[in-house]
Amino acid sequence: MKMQWALIAGLVFALLTGIFAVINVDSVQVNLLFNTVRVPLILLILGCTLIGGIIVGSYGIYRQYRLQRENKRLHLRVAELEASAASATTPVSYDNMDSTRSTELEHDHQLHNDSIQTQQKGNNTGTL
C-alpha cells in the first residue's frame, strides 16, 4: 500500500512539473561557467527535474543494495550461531549416563562401608 501511494505521489509531481514546464516556454539565458547559452525554459525545467530524479533514484538504489548486503550478512551470522548452538548441545548417550551412575553408586557404597567400619571400631560393645 505504501508503494502505491509513493507511485501516485510521483505521478502527481510529474504532472504538475509537466504543466509548469509547458506554461514557461520562453527562452532564457543560462550561464555554464565557460559559456552563456539561450535555452527554452521548458527544457531547463524538464532537464533539472530529470537530473534530480536520477540523483534521488541512484541514492535509493544504493540504500537498497546496502540493506540487502547487511540482510545477507545477518542471515549468515544467524545460521552460524544456530550451527554453533546445535553443536554445543550434543545429546548425552545413555551409555555414558549408566557408567556415571554405576560409578556414583560404587562410590556411595564404599563410603557407606567405610562409615560402618569406623563406627564398629569406635564401638567395641557390638551395639550400634
Side-chain angles (χ1 to χ4, degrees):
M1 188 69 174
K2 182 179 178 182
M3 201 58 181
Q4 290 173 346
W5 283 109
L7 180 65
I8 291 170
L11 290 174
V12 168
F13 178 74
L15 181 66
L16 291 175
T17 303
I19 292 170
F20 181 73
V22 170
I23 291 172
N24 294 295
V25 291
D26 296 333
S27 192
V28 294
Q29 188 175 3
V30 178
N31 187 359
L32 302 172
L33 294 177
F34 56 86
N35 195 9
T36 304
V37 293
R38 293 194 65 79
V39 179
L41 192 55
I42 187 171
L43 292 179
L44 189 62
I45 292 170
L46 292 177
C48 289
T49 304
L50 180 65
I51 290 171
I54 290 172
I55 291 170
V56 169
S58 298
Y59 179 70
I61 290 171
Y62 169 72
R63 272 187 44 205
Q64 186 71 19
Y65 169 74
R66 193 177 67 197
L67 287 173
Q68 285 177 351
R69 190 176 63 192
E70 183 179 1
N71 190 18
K72 187 181 291 185
R73 183 183 60 82
L74 291 174
H75 276 293
L76 290 173
R77 178 73 175 140
V78 166
E80 179 183 299
L81 289 174
E82 286 176 347
S84 67
S87 66
T89 58
T90 56
V92 178
S93 68
Y94 290 112
D95 296 336
N96 290 340
M97 288 176 60
D98 289 339
S99 65
T100 305
R101 189 176 312 138
S102 65
T103 305
E104 288 175 358
L105 289 174
E106 289 173 3
H107 186 287
D108 288 345
H109 184 67
Q110 183 65 32
L111 287 176
H112 180 68
N113 287 341
D114 288 346
S115 66
I116 290 175
Q117 289 174 359
T118 305
Q119 287 176 359
Q120 288 175 351
K121 287 179 183 177
N123 189 357
N124 291 332
T125 60
T127 58
L128 295 175

